[in-house]
Amino acid sequence: MDVLLTTPNATPALPHGAMADAVASCGYTFLFNLLDYSAGVLPVTHVDRLLDTLPPSVDIAALNGVARGAYAHYDALKMHGLPVAVQVVGRRLEEEKVLAVMGRLEAALERRGER
């Protein structure tokens, strides 16, 4: 494996203080910090209030505890325009490789006109 692409968090940025409810959804980031792996986060798109609004059928109260905390503050209208990112994870001491992959991703987004 060269790198792993994953989410850095379950949701876009949350309002100040909201992580008290959503801290359990940060396992995507904590795991790689604890393992001392090289990692970087790159924004790839933005929240769109029309595309990213949760459908009425989503019952947040019925979700498991981690998802419930993550989505307790989710509001696509308020989050419109916030970045949505990917996390590039490499092995320990492979920061240069992570940065190179992030550069390739950024170049690909620019070629598609998404930067």
Side-chain angles (χ1 to χ4, degrees):
M1 171 186 87
D2 289 319
V3 297
L4 175 68
L5 287 180
T6 183
T7 59
N9 198 11
T11 65
L14 294 172
H16 184 69
M19 286 310 293
D21 297 325
V23 70
S25 67
C26 294
Y28 306 104
T29 306
F30 294 163
L31 171 65
F32 302 114
N33 288 329
L34 289 171
L35 294 173
D36 197 24
Y37 282 12
S38 303
V41 175
L42 178 73
V44 294
T45 190
H46 294 86
V47 176
D48 183 302
R49 67 179 166 261
L50 300 176
L51 296 174
D52 298 319
T53 299
L54 294 176
S57 61
V58 173
D59 181 8
I60 293 174
L63 300 174
N64 68 45
V66 174
R68 202 170 34 253
Y71 284 98
H73 299 278
Y74 182 81
D75 184 335
L77 294 174
K78 291 180 181 175
M79 294 176 166
H80 181 76
L82 288 177
V84 177
V86 295
Q87 180 175 216
V88 180
V89 180
R91 296 172 194 242
R92 189 170 181 271
L93 303 175
E94 291 191 346
E95 289 85 357
E96 293 87 358
K97 184 183 285 186
V98 168
L99 290 171
V101 170
M102 290 173 70
R104 299 276 306 263
L105 287 171
E106 194 166 41
L109 290 166
E110 286 174 359
R111 280 194 303 276
R112 290 181 53 145
E114 297 180 28
R115 279 277 168 174

